[in-house]
Amino acid sequence: MSHNTSTEFHYTLFVLAVLGGAVFCGAHLLNGWLLANFEVTSNISFIYLPSFLRLANVLVLGMFWGTAATAIGGVMLMWWSTDSWLLDLCHTVISAGVAGLSIFAMQILLQRRLSISKLSDLLKLALFYALLNALAHHLVWSFLDPSKLVDPNQVLYMVIGDINGAVLGALGLRWMAQHTPLINFARRKAMTDDELIDSTN
């Protein structure tokens, strides 16, 4: 790969990561506005639509750039946050990191690569991610901000909200992968020989 081609390659992925982050940030803010009646707390909703975007970023852009996309979205959200910078930073690390960790762990459990064209793969991933994400958030809150622990059942509520959002997102991603060139275009830009995800399984 020539220097110019390599530079263009990374520039395209960077732009896609920024766009992915902006979409995640916008979806988070929109979710809080449209579905305010489903909120348990400011951090927990029975329907959290951006949940699957964290996974979709990694599934589409790859582990590095997909994680970066969600991290960029998390940094953007800090402008609207009333939490401390340390808690915001932890939220961003969890949001970005748990998605990649879930995909990596699921592929070990399944002993094969995930496929974004298989609904069963996406639903299993959504469930595993929802559990891991809720536990990670509550672990951080228990240490940094116990005031967010307002209900003994809120871990379950967060899991339910993430699953609802992830299932809807999985259906949307699968439809886009099958009916539009957008997903394939982004994945071709991000694909490398050692990529973890394989859309042809």
Side-chain angles (χ1 to χ4, degrees):
M1 183 180 289
S2 69
H3 175 72
N4 289 339
T5 302
S6 177
T7 301
E8 181 182 352
F9 175 79
H10 290 296
Y11 175 76
T12 301
L13 287 175
F14 175 75
V15 170
L16 289 173
V18 172
L19 288 175
V23 170
F24 172 71
C25 176
H28 178 91
L29 297 173
L30 189 63
N31 193 91
W33 177 59
L34 289 177
L35 302 175
N37 291 334
F38 292 92
E39 287 187 349
V40 179
T41 71
S42 60
N43 296 103
I44 301 173
S45 174
F46 279 114
I47 303 176
Y48 185 61
L49 295 177
S51 173
F52 194 76
L53 288 176
R54 298 164 178 165
L55 294 170
N57 282 337
V58 178
L59 288 168
V60 174
L61 297 178
M63 197 64 72
F64 177 80
W65 290 104
T67 300
T70 302
I72 290 170
V75 171
M76 291 178 179
L77 283 173
M78 290 183 183
W79 291 100
W80 289 272
S81 176
T82 57
D83 294 325
S84 69
W85 69 268
L86 179 59
L87 192 58
D88 282 338
L89 181 62
C90 288
H91 286 164
T92 299
V93 170
I94 292 172
S95 295
V98 168
L101 180 61
S102 298
I103 291 171
F104 182 75
M106 276 298 298
Q107 292 182 138
I108 293 176
L109 292 173
L110 294 174
Q111 296 185 335
R112 61 176 174 82
R113 295 180 178 182
L114 288 169
S115 170
I116 62 174
S117 62
K118 278 188 177 179
L119 186 58
S120 60
D121 275 13
L122 296 177
L123 294 180
K124 289 174 186 176
L125 176 62
L127 176 59
F128 185 77
Y129 161 78
L131 290 169
L132 196 59
N133 181 65
L135 291 174
H137 272 90
H138 281 80
L139 182 63
V140 167
W141 293 339
S142 66
F143 284 104
L144 296 182
D145 192 354
S147 67
K148 293 190 179 298
L149 306 177
V150 298
D151 191 298
N153 298 314
Q154 69 182 56
V155 173
L156 177 61
Y157 298 155
M158 191 172 193
V159 170
I160 291 172
D162 280 351
I163 289 175
N164 287 335
V167 168
L168 291 173
L171 293 172
L173 181 66
R174 181 171 179 265
W175 184 91
M176 289 181 66
Q178 293 178 338
H179 297 92
T180 73
L182 180 62
I183 300 300
N184 285 334
F185 167 78
R187 297 195 75 244
R188 280 197 303 270
K189 290 295 183 182
M191 192 75 69
T192 60
D193 291 339
D194 60 348
E195 189 58 59
L196 290 172
I197 315 302
D198 182 3
S199 63
T200 62
N201 286 346

